[in-house]
Amino acid sequence: MLKVIATVVRRANISHEELVKVWEGVHAPHVVKMVHPLRYQITFFDPRQDPHDPRLDGMAELWFRDQRHFESTIGRNAPPEIMADRFNEYADLTKGAWLTVTEHINLDGPTTRETTKLVYFVKRREGVERATFDQCWREVHIPNVLGALRRTATARRYTVDLVDSTRERVYDGIAQISMEGPNPSFADVVGYEPDAFHALTQPLLISHGHEVRIVE
């Protein structure tokens, strides 16, 4: 199975609300019809005035049978009809990123559309080897965060997607933490202590949003 994450930024003349309406009501059904993904979910991000917000409107997560399934439906060999819904008139396709990832599911509790998702876009510091970075994330940071989330009554889900390392990309990985309650943040996590991973990362970019599952 192949997982791909696509980040989306709206065009300058389009509001966030317009993009979300067309994405969920027009584009998502079109993707299901044309692509037949094994799974498909969208996270719509809340617009925020925060220096650590990456200014994304949302991201799509899609699962494919294999590379051929991806390339023949939405990749390099996609049919022209894939653009028939005119989503490119709402989303600036030059500003988003397409990332092939390996998913690590660390906590897998139930969520709804009302559950808040904290999404961290992570990039290593200059001079840090990718293999060292990934190892520290998997073996040190994930267990540390997971232990704290298990002590947090409002925590529901925790995943880490490591981006394919065959070439340099805008992010090395994406962490997602889903929590219940009004305006949750990582400050609500119980008993977390910083670890060696923080010394390896650039300042984190953080989006807050809500997930919609299109194909489960």
Side-chain angles (χ1 to χ4, degrees):
M1 188 183 296
L2 175 73
K3 181 179 179 182
V4 173
I5 293 179
T7 61
V8 175
V9 179
R10 69 186 183 275
R11 290 187 174 275
N13 62 322
I14 301 295
S15 71
H16 176 75
E17 292 72 22
E18 287 177 301
L19 178 74
V20 168
K21 181 178 180 180
V22 170
W23 193 348
E24 185 173 5
V26 178
H27 184 59
H30 180 69
V31 169
V32 172
K33 178 182 177 181
M34 295 293 299
V35 178
H36 302 288
L38 301 182
R39 291 175 59 198
Y40 177 23
Q41 59 196 39
I42 302 168
T43 303
F44 297 120
F45 294 136
D46 302 328
R48 297 165 59 87
Q49 297 301 318
D50 186 296
H52 301 294
D53 189 307
R55 303 296 189 266
L56 301 172
D57 288 282
M59 70 178 189
E61 299 172 79
L62 301 105
W63 287 257
F64 300 85
R65 291 188 301 275
D66 48 31
Q67 188 71 31
R68 181 179 179 183
H69 181 196
F70 167 74
E71 294 292 358
S72 64
T73 57
I74 206 169
R76 288 175 293 183
N77 301 320
E81 291 78 14
I82 194 66
M83 303 296 288
D85 65 345
R86 298 164 63 184
F87 187 59
N88 61 312
E89 297 180 10
Y90 295 84
D92 188 339
L93 303 184
T94 67
K95 293 184 177 179
W98 283 84
L99 307 167
T100 301
V101 301
T102 300
E103 182 180 47
H104 298 262
I105 300 174
N106 309 299
L107 183 65
D108 194 14
T111 63
T112 68
R113 186 167 183 157
E114 285 67 46
T115 306
T116 297
K117 183 191 281 189
L118 312 177
V119 182
Y120 298 82
F121 298 90
V122 185
K123 185 69 177 178
R124 69 192 187 281
R125 292 184 185 275
E126 186 175 352
V128 176
E129 293 291 335
R130 179 63 192 271
T132 301
F133 182 80
D134 286 359
Q135 183 178 12
C136 185
W137 199 345
R138 291 193 311 266
E139 298 180 6
V140 177
H141 191 59
I142 286 177
N144 187 19
V145 173
L146 180 58
L149 291 175
R150 284 175 170 161
R151 294 189 291 270
T152 305
T154 56
R156 294 292 178 266
R157 185 171 169 83
Y158 171 39
T159 66
V160 169
D161 292 286
L162 295 179
V163 175
D164 176 29
S165 61
T166 54
R167 64 189 179 99
E168 200 66 31
R169 303 304 303 267
V170 61
Y171 311 119
D172 294 318
I174 300 172
Q176 306 182 51
I177 297 175
S178 296
M179 302 180 69
E180 303 291 353
N183 302 314
S185 71
F186 197 79
D188 300 323
V189 175
V190 177
Y192 173 77
E193 294 290 340
D195 53 53
F197 186 65
H198 293 271
L200 306 181
T201 64
Q202 296 182 19
L204 297 176
L205 298 175
I206 308 169
S207 293
H208 295 61
H210 299 270
E211 179 182 286
V212 180
R213 295 176 182 173
I214 309 299
V215 177
E216 298 190 64

